[in-house]
Amino acid sequence: MRRPQGRTSKLVQNAVATTVAAVMIAAMPGSTFADGAAQAPWPTAGWQTSTPEGQGIDPGALAALIEQGATQNLDSLLVIRHGRIVLDATYAPYNAGLPHVVNSVTKAITGTLAAIALKDGLLQSLDQPVMPFFADRIVTEPDARRSAITLQTLFDMTSGIDWEEPFGGMPRSMIDMDRSRNQIDFVLNRPMAAAPGERFNYNSGGAHLVSAIVARVTGMTTEAYAAKKLFGPLGITAWTWRRDPQGISTGGYGLALHPHDMAKFGYLYLHGGAWDGQQLVPAEWVDKVNHAVVDMHTSFAPELRYANFFWAVPERQLYWASGYHCQLVVVYPTLDLVAVTTGKDECRVRTLTMAIAQSVKSSAALSPDPAGSERLAQAIRAAATEKPSVGMAPPPIAAAISGKVYRFESNPLGVKSLSLSFAEADPHYELDLYTRNPAQPSEKVSGSFGLDGLYRRGVDTPFGPLAVKGRWLDERVFEVDRINLGGGDLPRRWTLTFEGDRLHLIGRNYMGVDVAIDGMAE
């Protein structure tokens, strides 16, 4: 089991300094949106590339940015100026060929699809009441304030629905929703905590209601509507999108995209919702994002505003879609620039946004910088090269336990059985996991693991390919690291201690708590 994806995390607390970056943007010479728009290429079939200097960016500054990203558990870093990629870096073991979970960036895409449905005449207005869309649902928590919930209050996180999903805290309501057998009913039957429009309160459930509304008015899943009206025109051909038990595309999280396609989404917003001669998204919708007015009441960043599932610093025309563990699509209209990050842990948004802004030196091309370009190339290669973890040579116990099956009683880690084979040609594991529903069969996972300190990519999962490596710490203790490549989380580490026929396993559960369990050899 893994923690549900989606909430925007403590990284938001660092966003206070995006204002600093925004001030720097306003002070920079040259570029405005109009400067780059006239000759902007459309990346429907793929992005054009350029040297950083060709787009007025210092390559040495980008190299420093990559080096900073290595300390912040990034998976990828992408910078596009004037419609051309000037930086495209990935951090091993993740690689550019894989989609990446975008977590709460999903909200911005769900909202965009609602805006397209409005343009298509399938929705009446942003002020349209929400509850009539769910007239066939049973609401057991009557409250007159519920009838005042509108589409706009869902987009702005001001619905008034009682919801616990604080920045940097445990998203209890989102977890409960994710466990629910009927997630829409779960959200609709939450009590009301405030009048709609009264105050901001982060709520992934509201985004899921939007997805259900899009599905209802279009007669297709939100994912199918995206394929037709958004992904298709943008040239996005590969993605995955989770669904709830009723088949509704999860509105607040659960989408995985390639970073290049995340950038296409940002580029659409950079151009006011237009794409290669078509107005895909109403310009008014994008303008509202750029001039967000909903006060998020963040003591650490009083200038932050929210609108239409986007974060914004409106006085500096800087906004971004944000997802848990540093999934970011950042739009800098005054620089004609889009930046994308994906990651697997908290990151310093301040550092990233400031460094990106500082790398821009001019709206015109700079002179070639061979030294800076070589430093950048080296930084890209270093980021893409996996660094092995060092362990000791296999001890004698490795041969004794090789192939043994250890069985576990029901436990918080969900481990039913585990077997390790230390054959030199192909070290591999076999793992059997309990499922949430006892009536369903257990889930079997198997694959190779590296003993040379490097990950071995194995089975594909809904959260990305599973990669595993292991190392011996002493004569009886073996350490296993498992990571879903592009899954948006740090490696999950298991420490295995072998004592006769007993296996003592310590691992972290989906709530981030270390749990100890014991298994016995068959």
mmCIF file of all heavy atoms in Angstrom, residues 125-153:
data_model
loop_
_atom_site.group_PDB
_atom_site.id
_atom_site.type_symbol
_atom_site.label_atom_id
_atom_site.label_comp_id
_atom_site.label_asym_id
_atom_site.label_seq_id
_atom_site.Cartn_x
_atom_site.Cartn_y
_atom_site.Cartn_z
ATOM 1 N N SER A 125 -22.245 28.756 -16.856
ATOM 2 C CA SER A 125 -21.390 29.832 -16.373
ATOM 3 C C SER A 125 -20.570 29.319 -15.210
ATOM 4 O O SER A 125 -20.847 28.258 -14.636
ATOM 5 C CB SER A 125 -22.215 31.046 -15.923
ATOM 6 O OG SER A 125 -22.830 30.797 -14.673
ATOM 7 N N LEU A 126 -19.554 30.089 -14.834
ATOM 8 C CA LEU A 126 -18.733 29.719 -13.691
ATOM 9 C C LEU A 126 -19.508 29.834 -12.389
ATOM 10 O O LEU A 126 -19.140 29.225 -11.379
ATOM 11 C CB LEU A 126 -17.487 30.598 -13.635
ATOM 12 C CG LEU A 126 -16.550 30.517 -14.846
ATOM 13 C CD1 LEU A 126 -15.354 31.436 -14.665
ATOM 14 C CD2 LEU A 126 -16.090 29.086 -15.074
ATOM 15 N N ASP A 127 -20.579 30.631 -12.396
ATOM 16 C CA ASP A 127 -21.400 30.809 -11.200
ATOM 17 C C ASP A 127 -22.547 29.816 -11.127
ATOM 18 O O ASP A 127 -23.438 29.952 -10.284
ATOM 19 C CB ASP A 127 -21.952 32.236 -11.159
ATOM 20 C CG ASP A 127 -20.846 33.282 -11.036
ATOM 21 O OD1 ASP A 127 -19.845 32.997 -10.336
ATOM 22 O OD2 ASP A 127 -20.951 34.356 -11.647
ATOM 23 N N GLN A 128 -22.529 28.822 -11.982
ATOM 24 C CA GLN A 128 -23.584 27.809 -11.995
ATOM 25 C C GLN A 128 -23.565 26.990 -10.704
ATOM 26 O O GLN A 128 -22.503 26.516 -10.275
ATOM 27 C CB GLN A 128 -23.375 26.891 -13.198
ATOM 28 C CG GLN A 128 -24.524 25.953 -13.502
ATOM 29 C CD GLN A 128 -24.325 25.252 -14.843
ATOM 30 O OE1 GLN A 128 -23.431 25.602 -15.613
ATOM 31 N NE2 GLN A 128 -25.164 24.279 -15.129
ATOM 32 N N PRO A 129 -24.714 26.795 -10.048
ATOM 33 C CA PRO A 129 -24.745 25.981 -8.827
ATOM 34 C C PRO A 129 -24.326 24.547 -9.113
ATOM 35 O O PRO A 129 -24.601 23.985 -10.178
ATOM 36 C CB PRO A 129 -26.211 26.063 -8.384
ATOM 37 C CG PRO A 129 -26.747 27.286 -9.030
ATOM 38 C CD PRO A 129 -26.015 27.401 -10.333
ATOM 39 N N VAL A 130 -23.680 23.943 -8.138
ATOM 40 C CA VAL A 130 -23.120 22.609 -8.293
ATOM 41 C C VAL A 130 -24.120 21.506 -7.958
ATOM 42 O O VAL A 130 -24.174 20.468 -8.639
ATOM 43 C CB VAL A 130 -21.856 22.477 -7.411
ATOM 44 C CG1 VAL A 130 -21.449 21.019 -7.222
ATOM 45 C CG2 VAL A 130 -20.700 23.270 -8.009
ATOM 46 N N MET A 131 -24.922 21.693 -6.923
ATOM 47 C CA MET A 131 -25.746 20.597 -6.417
ATOM 48 C C MET A 131 -26.744 20.047 -7.436
ATOM 49 O O MET A 131 -27.009 18.829 -7.428
ATOM 50 C CB MET A 131 -26.458 21.025 -5.141
ATOM 51 C CG MET A 131 -25.519 21.249 -3.959
ATOM 52 S SD MET A 131 -24.372 19.869 -3.664
ATOM 53 C CE MET A 131 -25.511 18.551 -3.239
ATOM 54 N N PRO A 132 -27.312 20.856 -8.352
ATOM 55 C CA PRO A 132 -28.212 20.259 -9.348
ATOM 56 C C PRO A 132 -27.555 19.183 -10.208
ATOM 57 O O PRO A 132 -28.253 18.311 -10.738
ATOM 58 C CB PRO A 132 -28.643 21.466 -10.186
ATOM 59 C CG PRO A 132 -28.596 22.623 -9.230
ATOM 60 C CD PRO A 132 -27.387 22.335 -8.385
ATOM 61 N N PHE A 133 -26.238 19.222 -10.357
ATOM 62 C CA PHE A 133 -25.564 18.159 -11.106
ATOM 63 C C PHE A 133 -25.644 16.818 -10.380
ATOM 64 O O PHE A 133 -25.434 15.765 -10.988
ATOM 65 C CB PHE A 133 -24.095 18.515 -11.334
ATOM 66 C CG PHE A 133 -23.874 19.654 -12.289
ATOM 67 C CD1 PHE A 133 -23.450 20.895 -11.824
ATOM 68 C CD2 PHE A 133 -24.089 19.498 -13.650
ATOM 69 C CE1 PHE A 133 -23.237 21.950 -12.689
ATOM 70 C CE2 PHE A 133 -23.890 20.552 -14.532
ATOM 71 C CZ PHE A 133 -23.466 21.784 -14.050
ATOM 72 N N PHE A 134 -25.926 16.864 -9.098
ATOM 73 C CA PHE A 134 -25.946 15.655 -8.277
ATOM 74 C C PHE A 134 -27.319 15.419 -7.657
ATOM 75 O O PHE A 134 -27.431 14.893 -6.538
ATOM 76 C CB PHE A 134 -24.870 15.757 -7.188
ATOM 77 C CG PHE A 134 -23.486 15.990 -7.730
ATOM 78 C CD1 PHE A 134 -22.905 17.248 -7.676
ATOM 79 C CD2 PHE A 134 -22.772 14.963 -8.321
ATOM 80 C CE1 PHE A 134 -21.637 17.480 -8.185
ATOM 81 C CE2 PHE A 134 -21.504 15.172 -8.832
ATOM 82 C CZ PHE A 134 -20.932 16.429 -8.774
ATOM 83 N N ALA A 135 -28.361 15.796 -8.393
ATOM 84 C CA ALA A 135 -29.723 15.657 -7.877
ATOM 85 C C ALA A 135 -30.095 14.202 -7.617
ATOM 86 O O ALA A 135 -31.008 13.916 -6.829
ATOM 87 C CB ALA A 135 -30.710 16.287 -8.860
ATOM 88 N N ASP A 136 -29.404 13.282 -8.284
ATOM 89 C CA ASP A 136 -29.703 11.859 -8.102
ATOM 90 C C ASP A 136 -28.949 11.244 -6.924
ATOM 91 O O ASP A 136 -29.101 10.059 -6.635
ATOM 92 C CB ASP A 136 -29.366 11.090 -9.378
ATOM 93 C CG ASP A 136 -27.913 11.274 -9.816
ATOM 94 O OD1 ASP A 136 -27.288 12.281 -9.398
ATOM 95 O OD2 ASP A 136 -27.403 10.427 -10.560
ATOM 96 N N ARG A 137 -28.156 12.037 -6.241
ATOM 97 C CA ARG A 137 -27.383 11.542 -5.101
ATOM 98 C C ARG A 137 -28.137 11.814 -3.797
ATOM 99 O O ARG A 137 -28.858 12.809 -3.675
ATOM 100 C CB ARG A 137 -26.016 12.228 -5.034
ATOM 101 C CG ARG A 137 -25.179 12.064 -6.295
ATOM 102 C CD ARG A 137 -24.368 10.802 -6.253
ATOM 103 N NE ARG A 137 -23.511 10.671 -7.436
ATOM 104 C CZ ARG A 137 -22.496 9.842 -7.514
ATOM 105 N NH1 ARG A 137 -22.188 9.061 -6.491
ATOM 106 N NH2 ARG A 137 -21.787 9.753 -8.620
ATOM 107 N N ILE A 138 -27.935 10.967 -2.830
ATOM 108 C CA ILE A 138 -28.541 11.147 -1.515
ATOM 109 C C ILE A 138 -27.556 11.879 -0.618
ATOM 110 O O ILE A 138 -26.439 11.414 -0.388
ATOM 111 C CB ILE A 138 -28.919 9.788 -0.891
ATOM 112 C CG1 ILE A 138 -29.968 9.087 -1.752
ATOM 113 C CG2 ILE A 138 -29.441 9.983 0.528
ATOM 114 C CD1 ILE A 138 -30.315 7.690 -1.269
ATOM 115 N N VAL A 139 -27.977 13.043 -0.133
ATOM 116 C CA VAL A 139 -27.151 13.834 0.770
ATOM 117 C C VAL A 139 -27.763 13.758 2.157
ATOM 118 O O VAL A 139 -28.896 14.201 2.374
ATOM 119 C CB VAL A 139 -27.062 15.303 0.298
ATOM 120 C CG1 VAL A 139 -26.227 16.122 1.277
ATOM 121 C CG2 VAL A 139 -26.440 15.373 -1.098
ATOM 122 N N THR A 140 -27.030 13.178 3.080
ATOM 123 C CA THR A 140 -27.559 12.948 4.428
ATOM 124 C C THR A 140 -27.188 14.051 5.402
ATOM 125 O O THR A 140 -27.531 13.974 6.584
ATOM 126 C CB THR A 140 -27.027 11.600 4.972
ATOM 127 O OG1 THR A 140 -25.596 11.643 4.992
ATOM 128 C CG2 THR A 140 -27.506 10.451 4.101
ATOM 129 N N GLU A 141 -26.436 15.052 4.924
ATOM 130 C CA GLU A 141 -26.042 16.171 5.772
ATOM 131 C C GLU A 141 -26.698 17.442 5.254
ATOM 132 O O GLU A 141 -26.088 18.258 4.565
ATOM 133 C CB GLU A 141 -24.507 16.333 5.765
ATOM 134 C CG GLU A 141 -23.745 15.215 6.429
ATOM 135 C CD GLU A 141 -23.771 15.337 7.946
ATOM 136 O OE1 GLU A 141 -24.129 16.420 8.455
ATOM 137 O OE2 GLU A 141 -23.428 14.353 8.615
ATOM 138 N N PRO A 142 -27.985 17.663 5.568
ATOM 139 C CA PRO A 142 -28.669 18.842 5.039
ATOM 140 C C PRO A 142 -28.080 20.131 5.597
ATOM 141 O O PRO A 142 -27.783 20.232 6.789
ATOM 142 C CB PRO A 142 -30.114 18.643 5.503
ATOM 143 C CG PRO A 142 -30.017 17.747 6.693
ATOM 144 C CD PRO A 142 -28.866 16.850 6.435
ATOM 145 N N ASP A 143 -27.866 21.092 4.733
ATOM 146 C CA ASP A 143 -27.346 22.398 5.128
ATOM 147 C C ASP A 143 -27.682 23.361 4.002
ATOM 148 O O ASP A 143 -27.274 23.144 2.855
ATOM 149 C CB ASP A 143 -25.840 22.331 5.359
ATOM 150 C CG ASP A 143 -25.276 23.579 6.039
ATOM 151 O OD1 ASP A 143 -25.631 24.696 5.608
ATOM 152 O OD2 ASP A 143 -24.483 23.433 6.982
ATOM 153 N N ALA A 144 -28.399 24.423 4.327
ATOM 154 C CA ALA A 144 -28.835 25.372 3.292
ATOM 155 C C ALA A 144 -27.656 25.988 2.562
ATOM 156 O O ALA A 144 -27.776 26.380 1.390
ATOM 157 C CB ALA A 144 -29.700 26.458 3.931
ATOM 158 N N ARG A 145 -26.511 26.068 3.223
ATOM 159 C CA ARG A 145 -25.350 26.679 2.579
ATOM 160 C C ARG A 145 -24.842 25.856 1.407
ATOM 161 O O ARG A 145 -24.179 26.374 0.499
ATOM 162 C CB ARG A 145 -24.226 26.856 3.604
ATOM 163 C CG ARG A 145 -24.528 27.881 4.692
ATOM 164 C CD ARG A 145 -23.445 27.929 5.747
ATOM 165 N NE ARG A 145 -23.372 26.691 6.516
ATOM 166 C CZ ARG A 145 -22.524 26.509 7.537
ATOM 167 N NH1 ARG A 145 -21.677 27.478 7.882
ATOM 168 N NH2 ARG A 145 -22.523 25.371 8.201
ATOM 169 N N ARG A 146 -25.157 24.560 1.409
ATOM 170 C CA ARG A 146 -24.660 23.690 0.346
ATOM 171 C C ARG A 146 -25.186 24.114 -1.027
ATOM 172 O O ARG A 146 -24.502 23.967 -2.043
ATOM 173 C CB ARG A 146 -25.052 22.240 0.642
ATOM 174 C CG ARG A 146 -24.181 21.207 -0.067
ATOM 175 C CD ARG A 146 -24.652 19.792 0.227
ATOM 176 N NE ARG A 146 -24.739 19.521 1.645
ATOM 177 C CZ ARG A 146 -23.724 19.139 2.405
ATOM 178 N NH1 ARG A 146 -22.542 18.966 1.864
ATOM 179 N NH2 ARG A 146 -23.887 18.908 3.696
ATOM 180 N N SER A 147 -26.396 24.633 -1.062
ATOM 181 C CA SER A 147 -26.996 25.028 -2.345
ATOM 182 C C SER A 147 -26.275 26.209 -2.980
ATOM 183 O O SER A 147 -26.445 26.477 -4.168
ATOM 184 C CB SER A 147 -28.474 25.365 -2.155
ATOM 185 O OG SER A 147 -28.623 26.484 -1.292
ATOM 186 N N ALA A 148 -25.447 26.906 -2.194
ATOM 187 C CA ALA A 148 -24.733 28.071 -2.727
ATOM 188 C C ALA A 148 -23.367 27.712 -3.300
ATOM 189 O O ALA A 148 -22.651 28.599 -3.786
ATOM 190 C CB ALA A 148 -24.581 29.130 -1.631
ATOM 191 N N ILE A 149 -22.994 26.441 -3.243
ATOM 192 C CA ILE A 149 -21.719 26.039 -3.846
ATOM 193 C C ILE A 149 -21.827 26.184 -5.361
ATOM 194 O O ILE A 149 -22.745 25.656 -5.984
ATOM 195 C CB ILE A 149 -21.369 24.581 -3.487
ATOM 196 C CG1 ILE A 149 -21.236 24.410 -1.979
ATOM 197 C CG2 ILE A 149 -20.071 24.156 -4.178
ATOM 198 C CD1 ILE A 149 -21.045 22.959 -1.548
ATOM 199 N N THR A 150 -20.902 26.892 -5.960
ATOM 200 C CA THR A 150 -20.875 27.079 -7.413
ATOM 201 C C THR A 150 -19.608 26.452 -7.989
ATOM 202 O O THR A 150 -18.686 26.072 -7.260
ATOM 203 C CB THR A 150 -20.888 28.570 -7.781
ATOM 204 O OG1 THR A 150 -19.681 29.182 -7.283
ATOM 205 C CG2 THR A 150 -22.106 29.272 -7.178
ATOM 206 N N LEU A 151 -19.571 26.365 -9.303
ATOM 207 C CA LEU A 151 -18.355 25.887 -9.955
ATOM 208 C C LEU A 151 -17.158 26.730 -9.557
ATOM 209 O O LEU A 151 -16.082 26.205 -9.245
ATOM 210 C CB LEU A 151 -18.532 25.912 -11.472
ATOM 211 C CG LEU A 151 -19.492 24.890 -12.072
ATOM 212 C CD1 LEU A 151 -19.744 25.207 -13.545
ATOM 213 C CD2 LEU A 151 -18.929 23.475 -11.923
ATOM 214 N N GLN A 152 -17.330 28.056 -9.535
ATOM 215 C CA GLN A 152 -16.203 28.923 -9.227
ATOM 216 C C GLN A 152 -15.672 28.689 -7.814
ATOM 217 O O GLN A 152 -14.461 28.731 -7.585
ATOM 218 C CB GLN A 152 -16.599 30.393 -9.394
ATOM 219 C CG GLN A 152 -15.423 31.355 -9.317
ATOM 220 C CD GLN A 152 -14.430 31.166 -10.461
ATOM 221 O OE1 GLN A 152 -14.742 31.430 -11.612
ATOM 222 N NE2 GLN A 152 -13.216 30.699 -10.150
ATOM 223 N N THR A 153 -16.563 28.416 -6.861
ATOM 224 C CA THR A 153 -16.070 28.162 -5.506
ATOM 225 C C THR A 153 -15.292 26.844 -5.438
ATOM 226 O O THR A 153 -14.373 26.712 -4.632
ATOM 227 C CB THR A 153 -17.220 28.145 -4.479
ATOM 228 O OG1 THR A 153 -18.133 27.083 -4.770
ATOM 229 C CG2 THR A 153 -17.951 29.480 -4.462
#
